[in-house]
Amino acid sequence: MKVSSRLYPPHYLVLSIASIIGIDWLVPVPFVAAAFALIGGLLFLVIGLILAASAARLFSKAKTGIVPFSESTKLVVSGAYRFTRNPMYLGMFFCLIIRQRFVLKEEVQMQETFGDDYAQFKARIRRWI
């Protein structure tokens, strides 16, 4: 399956962060709420980055493609993949865009590549959490 995209998930992450900053600049919220939102947002961002980095490390150890739609040579089912099929995408803000542009197409690719092994993994592990 050959699918190309000019924007990859990290680009959408940067765009979502820029959008949040832009919205906050256009429609500022009171200081207390802003501080609470900033701390909460940073916490989610850090957790998401840690999750993505640990998942990327598993791909690297397995020597399989990490770039969307690149060749997959091994089905990774350990680490965060025991709980979610998409840990690298989980923390991204534009989840509907990520789902439509990447996840659904990658699931077809994984099914074609790994067959029953992927079907069993998909039956055991939820797409998100």
Side-chain angles (χ1 to χ4, degrees), residues 32-46:
V32 173
F36 180 73
L38 177 64
I39 292 168
L42 287 175
L43 180 65
F44 279 111
L45 179 63
V46 167

Short mmCIF file of all heavy atoms in Angstrom, two decimals, residues 32-46:
data_model
loop_
_atom_site.label_atom_id
_atom_site.label_comp_id
_atom_site.label_asym_id
_atom_site.label_seq_id
_atom_site.Cartn_x
_atom_site.Cartn_y
_atom_site.Cartn_z
N VAL A 32 -5.76 32.72 37.01
CA VAL A 32 -5.82 31.46 37.76
C VAL A 32 -6.17 30.31 36.81
O VAL A 32 -5.53 29.27 36.82
CB VAL A 32 -6.83 31.55 38.92
CG1 VAL A 32 -7.03 30.20 39.60
CG2 VAL A 32 -6.38 32.59 39.92
N ALA A 33 -7.17 30.52 35.98
CA ALA A 33 -7.56 29.48 35.04
C ALA A 33 -6.43 29.23 34.04
O ALA A 33 -6.19 28.08 33.65
CB ALA A 33 -8.84 29.87 34.30
N ALA A 34 -5.75 30.30 33.63
CA ALA A 34 -4.66 30.15 32.68
C ALA A 34 -3.52 29.34 33.29
O ALA A 34 -2.93 28.48 32.62
CB ALA A 34 -4.16 31.52 32.23
N ALA A 35 -3.18 29.61 34.55
CA ALA A 35 -2.11 28.87 35.22
C ALA A 35 -2.48 27.39 35.35
O ALA A 35 -1.66 26.51 35.10
CB ALA A 35 -1.82 29.47 36.59
N PHE A 36 -3.72 27.12 35.73
CA PHE A 36 -4.20 25.75 35.86
C PHE A 36 -4.15 25.04 34.50
O PHE A 36 -3.68 23.90 34.40
CB PHE A 36 -5.63 25.74 36.42
CG PHE A 36 -6.20 24.37 36.59
CD1 PHE A 36 -5.77 23.54 37.61
CD2 PHE A 36 -7.17 23.89 35.71
CE1 PHE A 36 -6.29 22.26 37.77
CE2 PHE A 36 -7.69 22.63 35.86
CZ PHE A 36 -7.25 21.81 36.89
N ALA A 37 -4.61 25.72 33.46
CA ALA A 37 -4.60 25.15 32.11
C ALA A 37 -3.17 24.91 31.64
O ALA A 37 -2.89 23.89 31.01
CB ALA A 37 -5.35 26.07 31.15
N LEU A 38 -2.28 25.84 31.93
CA LEU A 38 -0.89 25.69 31.51
C LEU A 38 -0.24 24.48 32.18
O LEU A 38 0.39 23.65 31.51
CB LEU A 38 -0.09 26.96 31.84
CG LEU A 38 1.40 26.89 31.52
CD1 LEU A 38 1.61 26.74 30.01
CD2 LEU A 38 2.12 28.12 32.04
N ILE A 39 -0.43 24.35 33.48
CA ILE A 39 0.15 23.21 34.20
C ILE A 39 -0.44 21.90 33.69
O ILE A 39 0.28 20.94 33.41
CB ILE A 39 -0.06 23.37 35.72
CG1 ILE A 39 0.79 24.53 36.24
CG2 ILE A 39 0.29 22.07 36.46
CD1 ILE A 39 0.46 24.96 37.65
N GLY A 40 -1.76 21.86 33.53
CA GLY A 40 -2.41 20.65 33.02
C GLY A 40 -1.97 20.32 31.61
O GLY A 40 -1.67 19.17 31.29
N GLY A 41 -1.90 21.34 30.77
CA GLY A 41 -1.48 21.14 29.39
C GLY A 41 -0.04 20.65 29.29
O GLY A 41 0.27 19.74 28.52
N LEU A 42 0.84 21.25 30.09
CA LEU A 42 2.24 20.83 30.08
C LEU A 42 2.39 19.40 30.59
O LEU A 42 3.20 18.63 30.07
CB LEU A 42 3.10 21.78 30.90
CG LEU A 42 3.36 23.15 30.27
CD1 LEU A 42 4.12 24.05 31.23
CD2 LEU A 42 4.12 23.01 28.96
N LEU A 43 1.60 19.05 31.60
CA LEU A 43 1.63 17.70 32.13
C LEU A 43 1.23 16.69 31.05
O LEU A 43 1.93 15.68 30.84
CB LEU A 43 0.71 17.57 33.35
CG LEU A 43 0.65 16.20 34.01
CD1 LEU A 43 2.01 15.84 34.61
CD2 LEU A 43 -0.42 16.19 35.08
N PHE A 44 0.14 16.96 30.36
CA PHE A 44 -0.29 16.07 29.27
C PHE A 44 0.74 16.02 28.15
O PHE A 44 1.00 14.97 27.57
CB PHE A 44 -1.66 16.48 28.72
CG PHE A 44 -2.80 15.99 29.55
CD1 PHE A 44 -3.58 16.87 30.27
CD2 PHE A 44 -3.10 14.64 29.61
CE1 PHE A 44 -4.63 16.42 31.04
CE2 PHE A 44 -4.15 14.17 30.39
CZ PHE A 44 -4.93 15.06 31.10
N LEU A 45 1.33 17.16 27.83
CA LEU A 45 2.35 17.21 26.78
C LEU A 45 3.55 16.35 27.15
O LEU A 45 4.03 15.55 26.34
CB LEU A 45 2.78 18.65 26.52
CG LEU A 45 3.86 18.84 25.44
CD1 LEU A 45 3.36 18.37 24.08
CD2 LEU A 45 4.30 20.29 25.38
N VAL A 46 4.04 16.49 28.37
CA VAL A 46 5.20 15.72 28.81
C VAL A 46 4.88 14.22 28.82
O VAL A 46 5.67 13.40 28.34
CB VAL A 46 5.69 16.20 30.20
CG1 VAL A 46 6.69 15.22 30.81
CG2 VAL A 46 6.28 17.59 30.09
#
